[in-house]
């Protein structure tokens, strides 16, 4: 285990020094730092088809917010026909593309810090395959101190599922507390 960690660290050091030298030459150090910093969050969605089909009713959740087994359970014809009480059916080709994109970029296959935490938390939790991000232990714990009046009772939010209502950089995969702004509760921190 220790040896593996060392190998990973050595590999990372090589990649970092190579990519930083490249980045400094290309766009300057600060931009590189900003990009590297992003790895802390969740990998942003880049797939156009996924964005098109999945952001009609809600924010297009990054695949890195759920493990692959959850996407397998959510993204099949039967499940999509009764997707949280609505019909979100897709044609076969689109479904396959979206399914593969989500599974390939799932939390347990991502190196982004937030995804790693989600993957580890899921792996150490027993019970059925999670179908909601909001029900993941890691996510629900992060929100347990927010009063209901700021979520369900808040016209500007309505449900914890609408991440982007409060997380102003959710589309970039950034969920840090200092980027949160709760609609109608500018002073939520106090
Ligand atoms: C026709 C509308 C519609 C479309 C299209 C749709 N969804 Fe949903 N989705 C919903 C509703 C409604 C909910 C439940 C929201 C709530 O409980 O507040 C939901 C919830 C979810 C959740 C759980 C969120 C949570 O609470 O943690 C995931 C994950 C999800 N959708 C993924 C997808 C993906 C991926 C796609 C694209 C293939 C998609 N959805 C397309 C309507 C839709
Ligand atoms: C009602 C507004 C609101 C909604 C909706 C919401 N969040 Fe949050 N979220 C917060 C607040 C406020 C915090 C900070 C809580 C604290 O520090 O006590 C937070 C914290 C987090 C954190 C931890 C941040 C850190 O730096 O530790 C993550 C990750 C996160 N949210 C993800 C999500 C995801 C994913 C969704 C959608 C499925 C979501 N949130 C929906 C308000 C919201």
């Amino acid at each position: 285990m220790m040896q593996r960690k060392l190998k990973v660290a050595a590999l990372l050091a090589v990649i970092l020094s190579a990519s930083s030298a490249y980045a400094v030459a290309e766009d300057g150090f600060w931009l590189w730092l900003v990009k590297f910093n992003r790895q802390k969050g969740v990998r942003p969605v880049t797939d156009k088809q996924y964005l098109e089909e999945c952001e009609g009713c809600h924010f297009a959740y990054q695949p890195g917010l759920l493990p692959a087994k959850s996407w397998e359970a959510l993204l099949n014809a039967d499940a999509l026909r009764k997707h949280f009480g609505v019909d979100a059916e897709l044609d076969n080709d689109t479904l396959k593309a979206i399914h593969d994109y989500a599974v390939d970029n799932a939390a347990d296959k991502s190196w982004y810090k937030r995804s790693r935490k989600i993957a580890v938390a899921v792996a150490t939790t027993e019970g059925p395959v999670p179908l909601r991000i909001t029900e993941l232990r890691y996510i629900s714990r992060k929100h347990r101190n927010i009063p209901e009046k700021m979520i369900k009772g808040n016209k500007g939010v309505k449900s914890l599922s609408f991440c982007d209502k409060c997380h102003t950089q959710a589309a970039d995969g950034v969920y840090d507390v200092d980027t949160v702004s709760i609609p109608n509760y500018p002073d939520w921190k106090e």
Side-chain angles (χ1 to χ4, degrees), residues 26-188:
E26 277 297 298
D27 338 293
F29 174 72
W30 292 109
L31 196 58
W32 169 78
L33 194 66
V34 168
K35 280 187 189 154
F36 178 65
N37 205 31
R38 287 248 175 99
Q39 308 274 107
K40 286 191 345 189
V42 176
R43 186 193 187 135
V45 177
T46 48
D47 188 90
K48 287 215 179 71
Q49 217 172 3
Y50 185 91
L51 284 174
E52 241 165 61
E53 302 293 346
C54 304
E55 71 179 356
C57 305
H58 48 64
F59 154 72
Y61 305 111
Q62 285 91 12
L65 290 170
L66 282 174
K69 61 182 179 183
S70 299
W71 293 119
E72 298 277 8
L74 283 165
L75 298 175
N76 61 73
D78 280 344
L80 277 181
R81 241 173 265 129
K82 33 187 175 47
H83 177 77
F84 303 97
V86 301
D87 186 345
E89 213 178 341
L90 297 169
D91 67 69
N92 285 344
D93 290 349
T94 312
L95 174 57
K96 184 172 188 321
I98 286 179
H99 164 277
D100 292 354
Y101 175 71
V103 168
D104 289 349
N105 291 283
D108 41 344
K109 297 189 184 153
S110 171
W111 284 105
Y112 280 64
K113 195 175 119 195
R114 201 72 82 186
S115 292
R116 299 295 334 139
K117 288 191 176 167
I118 289 173
V120 169
V122 170
T124 53
T125 308
E126 287 185 27
V129 174
L131 298 177
R132 281 183 179 269
I133 300 153
T134 47
E135 278 168 6
L136 296 175
R137 189 184 51 174
Y138 173 75
I139 295 291
S140 64
R141 278 196 184 161
K142 293 280 184 186
H143 299 98
R144 70 178 159 200
N145 294 328
I146 309 173
E148 275 301 298
K149 65 171 186 190
M150 295 188 188
I151 307 174
K152 286 214 167 69
N154 186 345
K155 284 202 185 101
V157 180
K158 291 196 181 133
S159 154
L160 192 61
S161 306
F162 299 124
C163 323
D164 56 327
K165 300 285 182 208
C166 305
H167 291 276
T168 58
Q169 296 176 25
D172 298 325
V174 176
Y175 293 93
D176 297 332
V177 183
D178 58 2
T179 61
V180 170
S181 164
I182 304 184
N184 304 314
Y185 290 92
D187 303 321
W188 66 271

